[in-house]
Amino acid sequence: MTSAEGILEATGGTHGRLYRAACPECGARFELSAAALRLAIGGSRKTTFYSFTCPECGESVRKPAGERIVELLTEGGVRTLRLHSAL
């Protein structure tokens, strides 16, 4: 995982896992539970992302999610939305 994707590390087991994240707006670093994160899986890398609200400044944050991040978040029970393209 890279800090560019925003999640630095997952701590704990599958249940009770915490995710270390950073806010690009205020620069705060913090830990989030699975309930505080959302994952959207689209048809491409450009449309696959995770989001959260910064607990420090309240900014809505959206960051790209590569394959490893998707795997990590789904294993940890993060709510996932599958996006479908229009036909």
Side-chain angles (χ1 to χ4, degrees):
M1 291 174 289
T2 66
S3 59
E5 288 183 313
I7 293 183
L8 304 175
E9 183 179 330
T11 59
T14 302
H15 300 288
R17 182 178 284 176
L18 293 176
Y19 301 90
R20 291 185 187 163
C23 176
E25 185 68 25
C26 70
R29 295 185 176 277
F30 39 81
E31 290 186 334
L32 297 170
S33 68
L37 292 158
R38 302 291 179 272
L39 175 63
I41 300 175
S44 71
R45 292 190 67 155
K46 290 183 179 182
T47 57
T48 300
F49 61 90
Y50 66 95
S51 62
F52 59 90
T53 300
C54 175
E56 298 294 321
C57 70
E59 183 75 18
S60 293
V61 178
R62 177 176 158 168
K63 296 192 175 186
E67 289 180 27
R68 178 67 183 129
I69 296 297
V70 169
E71 180 182 338
L72 189 67
L73 295 177
T74 54
E75 284 176 359
V78 171
R79 284 180 265 186
T80 302
L81 172 66
R82 296 203 180 269
L83 304 175
H84 298 280
S85 61
L87 296 175

